Amino acid sequence: MPEKLKTEKLKTNAGRHLSKMVGDTYMDLHAKSAQGAFVVWIAINVPAELFLGFENVVYGVPESHAALTAAKGVGVLQCEKAEHMGYSMDLCSYARIDIGSVSDGGKDSPTFGLPKPDLLVSDNNNCSLLVKWFDVHHRRMGVPHFVIDVPFCYEPQKDKDRKYIIQQFNDLIRTIEEMSGQKFDMDKALAAVSNTSEGIVHWKRFLSFAENRPSGITAFDSFVQMAPFLVARGTSQFVDHYKLLAQETEQRVRDGQFPVPGEKYRLFWDNIAPWHQLRDMSGSLAKLGANIVGATYTSCIGTVEGSFDFYAFDGDDPLEYCARTQNCYICPHGMNLRGKSMQAVVEKLNIDGIVFASNRSCKPYSVTQLDQQKLMTDQFGVPSVMIDVDHADARKYSKESTFTRLEALLENIEAKRAA
Amino acid sequence: MKIDITKKLAQLKNDGRKVLGCFPLYPPLELFYAMDLVPVVLWGLRGTATDTTESDRHLQNYTCSVARHLTEFALSNGSGLLDGLFMYNACDTLRNLPEIIEKEWEKIGQALPLIKVHIPMVLPAQTDATAYFKNEINHLIKDLEERFDVLFSKDKFVQAVKQIKYVRDLMARAENRVTDGHLSFLNFVDAIHECWFSTVEEQIRILESLIDELSDEPAFSADKDSRHGVILSGILPPPTSVIHAIESSGLRIVGNDIASLGRSYASMPETREDPAAYFLDFYYQHFPCPTLLYTGDRRTTSLLGLVDKTGAKGVIFVGEKFCEYEYFEFPHLVQQLKDKGIQTLEIEIAIEDDAQTSAHDSRVSAFSEILKNNF
């Protein structure tokens, strides 16, 4: 069967829906901007639900746009533009892609870039360099920059910190009201947070099919399916999409359709997805009978520190919930909290080995990985390997070196089984 | 680096002092002194160990040398020389170090107090962080009292503020002597470095001696006016050989925008009895530094102001490899300086450069030639 046909056959309804949803959302963003909407650029941790509390505020997420750019194969081109402007190759590749893309108005972007913002909102808990990155735009475009300061979590979030975050959310709302002339409606924000919470229920259900043997999903599927969190959070589409995804995955499992039918090794991934390698890496692993069935990167969504269990919205105060879940991604978690979450999910998914992807572009995710690796392998007896990647700069990735290590991990697993 | 940090810290311990290792660069020193602790800023630890073997077990090679040297120092001999660690929120690498260090210390049965404080990074015009910060400082005081069996008093705090004010004033005066050519930058750097690992009384003695012992004859008397002035900017001063290269290439260091030097003593808030109010001023009025996220808008103006004040013809950016905070700002700063006719040179210092700096020396010489030809 021709390769193209085979791929088409494997495309799921949720996959098709995702492509359309993402494409439409970016086009809609441009259209609304052209029609006068107030445009905000945000870091991924900034609660997008707040913007749905306004009549006509739209948002774009440079990190998400950079990931999409890398996945579409033009990441390096955009990085090089930033490097020619003087930005070091050691800087985060998302930032370089974004700065490169903005430099010529999104010329080579798969989405024609993002519309020019009226306000930049960064958040320093996932990574504080985001503030410096957004400062680049702030200076070049002359656009105000609002910084949400979230204390790092060495232990579960404290009340004093949550109050401080809520105070800042209120200041952000006030700032947008003043700048846009629009009034914030708390009921609309509440509805948006409810939608997000409901959508995450379905997301978690989708991820739970990794518990099946063989797994009903690959982590690569889940990486791709994260996009709605960055383009449609808080909307009814968000709920519908994840409902479709979960239902369809359930049906496929029932029908005995598995992404890696001959699954011999169940692996777990720690770090951001290598966007430029998704298809190649998943295909090459499948040929070895290995499936990366889960990832810290996707498991953390909708959770709070120290656990990958869903943290539901109680329907009460949307700002309180948004503040409480500010640390839902991995990077704001201290090493001990990360270890606790990872240990639980590794047990739950019956993981044979862990792939720690040391990511040159993401120090917040990568620093402590050497200690995590020791913890998982020495203390909990799970074989693991450290590979070198960069989430969006393909020049910093070597397939040969990576697969030499991955194959060594599989041999290690085999040796452990034989013992 | 002339001083033996290990020996200095051992001496402090022998003297019965409680030593608190601090990072990053701008801890609330006055508060620690007021509570009979000796804060030592764990920065510039290059040279305290021959390699980074211990650190390499925990940190990837794409973390900066500051983090790697700090970790190496803490894990190889830090626990025996310190009574505790203090850290406030800094960059994405440093924020992960406390737990790594703490865990390793626990393994060897030397668990030490680890105190963390969150310094608000919001823009003052955006969010009023006064109440949050007051709570942080009050907790810090309580924590210090409980862990070190010490007491806070307003009188002692005011006294410590005055002492530190005097120390910072002496540092600024010493820098002026560098600017006017009476003191070599290298000697100045060594003296400031020694201060980081000394009691406040000793710092005063070091700095007063440094200034008093200078001869009236400028160090560059013969050709002072023909030497073009340059400013150094970065997180740390460059290695000794690079400083030598700058000073021997016909350039004169007339000012610095270095985090561990000028940025740390350039501003001094008003004396106050309330530590929270004092430190809120301290952080919000601080000389701009990329690590203090809210100072971004003031950074260009400050650097250009320093250039104007000193009459520098060039700025040498001393990039600490993998320091993203600094590197995000370089292109903008370079452009702003070029627009004003100021020449710039960017050199990158990596951990491997401790021994090999000849490439930097050549670039410094070439830069000196450019300045000579242009002015």
Side-chain angles (χ1 to χ4, degrees):
Chain A
M1 188 184 292
E3 192 60 32
K4 186 164 186 332
L5 207 58
K6 221 190 294 180
T7 309
E8 283 299 315
K9 199 179 168 191
L10 288 173
K11 191 96 176 174
T12 60
N13 288 330
R16 275 188 285 272
H17 188 257
L18 177 77
S19 301
K20 184 171 183 331
M21 184 181 183
V22 171
D24 288 353
T25 307
Y26 274 105
M27 292 311 107
D28 195 40
L29 179 60
H30 283 289
K32 283 185 172 160
S33 166
Q35 289 158 13
F38 187 83
V39 181
V40 187
W41 283 10
I42 61 170
I44 58 167
N45 288 34
V46 173
E49 292 82 357
L50 297 186
F51 308 122
L52 274 69
F54 291 93
E55 193 61 37
N56 197 19
V57 173
V58 292
Y59 68 91
V61 187
E63 289 153 276
S64 176
H65 173 253
L68 183 67
T69 302
K72 295 287 183 191
V74 278
V76 171
L77 175 69
Q78 302 289 34
C79 281
E80 285 172 348
K81 289 179 194 169
E83 288 154 20
H84 290 147
M85 292 162 72
Y87 291 94
S88 166
M89 201 177 171
D90 290 329
L91 293 173
C92 164
S93 48
Y94 278 174
R96 279 179 286 134
I97 287 174
D98 181 47
I99 292 167
S101 175
V102 170
S103 71
D104 58 9
K107 198 173 126 226
D108 298 302
S109 155
T111 68
F112 309 105
L114 297 171
K116 187 176 181 292
D118 297 298
L119 177 67
L120 301 155
V121 186
S122 66
D123 193 327
N124 63 357
N125 63 334
N126 236 8
C127 63
S128 49
L129 77 79
L130 244 155
V131 179
K132 314 307 291 182
W133 163 5
F134 276 34
D135 264 349
V136 171
H137 295 320
H138 164 61
R139 287 189 293 258
R140 287 177 68 88
M141 299 183 194
V143 172
H145 179 188
F146 191 103
V147 179
I148 297 179
D149 175 39
V150 179
F152 187 74
C153 277
Y154 297 98
E155 48 202 281
Q157 190 185 61
K158 294 173 181 155
D159 284 349
K160 67 177 177 73
D161 293 335
R162 187 154 58 256
K163 281 180 191 154
Y164 175 51
I165 298 166
I166 292 171
Q167 182 192 356
Q168 294 175 68
F169 288 166
N170 279 311
D171 288 333
L172 174 61
I173 290 167
R174 181 178 44 77
T175 300
I176 295 176
E177 283 186 333
E178 286 169 7
M179 288 182 71
S180 70
Q182 300 176 39
K183 194 83 191 138
F184 178 74
D185 183 337
M186 189 65 87
D187 289 338
K188 282 186 181 172
L190 188 143
V193 171
S194 301
N195 281 338
T196 296
S197 187
E198 190 185 338
I200 294 173
V201 172
H202 299 300
W203 166 256
K204 285 287 186 191
R205 209 171 124 235
F206 160 68
L207 292 185
S208 74
F209 294 111
E211 292 169 38
N212 200 77
R213 266 182 181 270
S215 171
I217 63 168
T218 75
F220 299 97
D221 301 329
S222 63
F223 293 149
V224 173
Q225 290 289 352
M226 285 171 78
F229 283 99
L230 304 163
V231 297
R233 222 154 63 212
T235 64
S236 56
Q237 284 173 291
F238 178 85
V239 182
D240 295 344
H241 177 75
Y242 284 123
K243 195 172 179 182
L244 169 68
L245 176 67
Q247 283 174 345
E248 191 176 35
T249 308
E250 183 176 25
Q251 189 58 50
R252 289 165 69 87
V253 169
R254 269 202 209 125
D255 295 345
Q257 288 182 280
F258 304 105
V260 183
E263 178 187 283
K264 283 164 66 188
Y265 309 103
R266 296 167 63 79
L267 307 180
F268 193 75
W269 179 271
D270 183 57
N271 216 302
I272 298 174
W275 296 111
H276 46 88
Q277 293 300 318
L278 296 184
R279 183 172 296 215
D280 187 68
M281 192 181 270
S282 75
S284 301
L285 280 168
K287 282 181 193 158
L288 298 167
N291 184 8
I292 297 182
V293 303
T296 49
Y297 190 46
T298 50
S299 302
C300 62
I301 292 171
T303 69
V304 293
E305 323 82 21
S307 164
F308 289 146
D309 292 340
F310 176 48
Y311 184 83
F313 177 46
D314 63 4
D316 189 12
D317 181 350
L319 298 192
E320 170 85 19
Y321 179 77
C322 288
R324 182 65 195 93
T325 51
Q326 263 298 279
N327 298 313
C328 72
Y329 296 99
I330 283 290
C331 295
H333 300 189
M335 186 168 80
N336 296 331
L337 290 167
R338 284 192 203 192
K340 202 174 150 205
S341 311
M342 194 190 281
Q343 187 201 347
V345 75
V346 161
E347 281 172 9
K348 192 175 182 182
L349 297 180
N350 283 303
I351 294 298
D352 299 313
I354 304 173
V355 180
F356 287 93
S358 179
N359 181 351
R360 298 184 78 88
S361 267
C362 191
K363 293 188 185 75
Y365 217 133
S366 306
V367 175
T368 76
Q369 275 186 317
L370 287 162
D371 284 75
Q372 295 289 8
Q373 188 181 17
K374 278 185 211 111
L375 178 75
M376 292 299 147
T377 302
D378 299 348
Q379 209 164 322
F380 303 124
V382 186
S384 65
V385 69
M386 185 78 69
I387 60 169
D388 293 312
V389 299
D390 184 291
H391 53 233
D393 188 343
R395 294 170 297 177
K396 297 183 183 177
Y397 172 78
S398 157
K399 183 177 178 183
E400 291 71 24
S401 156
T402 299
F403 271 81
T404 301
R405 293 185 199 185
L406 288 173
E407 284 167 21
L409 172 66
L410 303 185
E411 284 167 18
N412 197 354
I413 294 168
E414 279 299 340
K416 192 183 165 212
R417 283 175 181 167
Chain B
M1 185 177 60
K2 281 181 181 166
I3 67 157
D4 182 336
I5 293 170
T6 308
K7 205 168 154 189
K8 289 281 291 186
L9 296 180
Q11 186 59 51
L12 287 169
K13 292 280 283 178
N14 284 341
D15 294 345
R17 306 302 299 262
K18 288 175 184 165
V19 182
L20 190 61
C22 304
F23 66 93
L25 278 161
Y26 315 123
L29 299 173
E30 297 87 332
L31 183 64
F32 300 138
Y33 285 124
M35 298 180 79
D36 297 320
L37 301 167
V38 180
V40 293
V41 178
L42 300 176
W43 216 257
L45 296 167
R46 177 193 287 148
T48 54
T50 50
D51 56 34
T52 51
T53 307
E54 287 300 317
S55 167
D56 293 347
R57 295 185 215 278
H58 303 275
L59 300 179
Q60 288 94 333
N61 61 6
Y62 51 83
T63 53
C64 69
S65 77
V66 170
R68 293 171 74 185
H69 285 134
L70 194 160
T71 306
E72 185 66 25
F73 174 79
L75 299 187
S76 53
N77 54 13
S79 65
L81 297 168
L82 303 171
D83 292 282
L85 264 188
F86 167 86
M87 71 101 44
Y88 65 88
N89 44 311
C91 67
D92 298 329
T93 298
L94 292 188
R95 73 185 187 184
N96 286 298
L97 300 192
E99 286 185 306
I100 291 173
I101 295 169
E102 189 175 38
K103 217 172 192 107
E104 290 305 299
W105 281 358
E106 275 171 12
K107 276 187 197 165
I108 56 168
Q110 292 193 327
L112 296 183
L114 180 56
I115 297 161
K116 305 180 210 91
V117 161
H118 184 80
I119 306 295
M121 290 292 158
V122 288
L123 303 170
Q126 165 201 306
T127 295
D128 180 1
T130 310
Y132 179 81
F133 186 63
K134 191 176 178 61
N135 186 46
E136 287 292 284
I137 292 293
N138 287 344
H139 266 93
L140 171 61
I141 292 171
K142 203 168 158 233
D143 213 7
L144 293 170
E145 287 182 333
E146 286 170 2
R147 288 170 187 261
F148 295 103
D149 193 25
V150 291
L151 275 178
F152 172 78
S153 94
K154 282 185 178 173
D155 289 345
K156 283 178 83 171
F157 178 69
V158 170
Q159 191 194 341
V161 168
K162 286 178 181 165
Q163 279 181 309
I164 288 292
K165 193 181 177 101
Y166 183 56
V167 166
R168 290 188 180 133
D169 184 51
L170 287 172
M171 288 175 173
R173 279 165 54 192
E175 187 191 312
N176 287 339
R177 304 315 302 269
V178 175
T179 308
D180 66 21
H182 284 81
L183 175 62
S184 89
F185 186 72
L186 195 55
N187 290 344
F188 169 71
V189 168
D190 281 341
I192 303 285
H193 195 211
E194 187 172 2
C195 287
W196 300 345
F197 300 92
S198 305
T199 63
V200 70
E201 295 80 10
E202 208 181 345
Q203 291 177 42
I204 291 170
R205 186 191 55 72
I206 294 165
L207 293 165
E208 283 181 341
S209 309
L210 181 75
I211 295 166
D212 291 347
E213 287 167 13
L214 289 175
S215 101
D216 290 337
E217 275 299 298
F220 304 124
S221 57
D223 59 352
K224 175 178 173 281
D225 294 334
S226 66
R227 285 170 167 264
H228 290 300
V230 292
I231 286 170
L232 301 187
S233 176
I235 286 285
L236 279 165
T240 304
S241 67
V242 177
I243 297 175
H244 275 309
I246 294 169
E247 294 195 325
S248 62
S249 70
L251 297 175
R252 198 157 54 90
I253 298 166
V254 294
N256 81 81
D257 165 48
I258 290 178
S260 61
L261 299 175
R263 289 181 206 162
S264 66
Y265 56 74
S267 37
M268 186 67 207
E270 208 177 289
T271 305
R272 290 170 183 262
E273 280 189 348
D274 174 6
Y278 173 81
F279 286 115
L280 197 66
D281 284 351
F282 171 75
Y283 286 111
Y284 274 152
Q285 293 168 15
H286 203 278
F287 191 86
C289 177
T291 62
L292 300 171
L293 301 177
Y294 47 80
T295 62
D297 280 349
R298 289 192 282 122
R299 178 134 159 77
T300 311
T301 320
S302 293
L303 187 56
L304 292 176
L306 195 58
V307 169
D308 278 347
K309 187 180 133 195
T310 57
K313 303 294 183 205
V315 174
I316 299 177
F317 289 100
V318 185
E320 174 66 40
K321 190 165 175 68
F322 303 120
C323 177
E324 286 159 326
Y325 275 3
E326 289 270 320
Y327 275 93
F328 265 112
E329 298 196 341
F330 285 166
H332 172 73
L333 293 171
V334 166
Q335 190 56 53
Q336 294 294 309
L337 290 161
K338 280 189 177 156
D339 290 348
K340 298 267 179 195
I342 304 299
Q343 297 290 321
T344 61
L345 170 69
E346 285 178 64
I347 55 175
E348 182 169 81
I349 306 296
I351 200 161
E352 303 81 15
D353 290 343
D354 287 359
Q356 292 180 1
T357 54
S358 55
H360 301 315
D361 299 350
S362 308
R363 296 190 63 211
V364 167
S365 298
F367 184 61
S368 176
E369 286 303 312
I370 291 170
L371 288 185
K372 276 180 202 159
N373 294 336
N374 279 5
F375 295 101

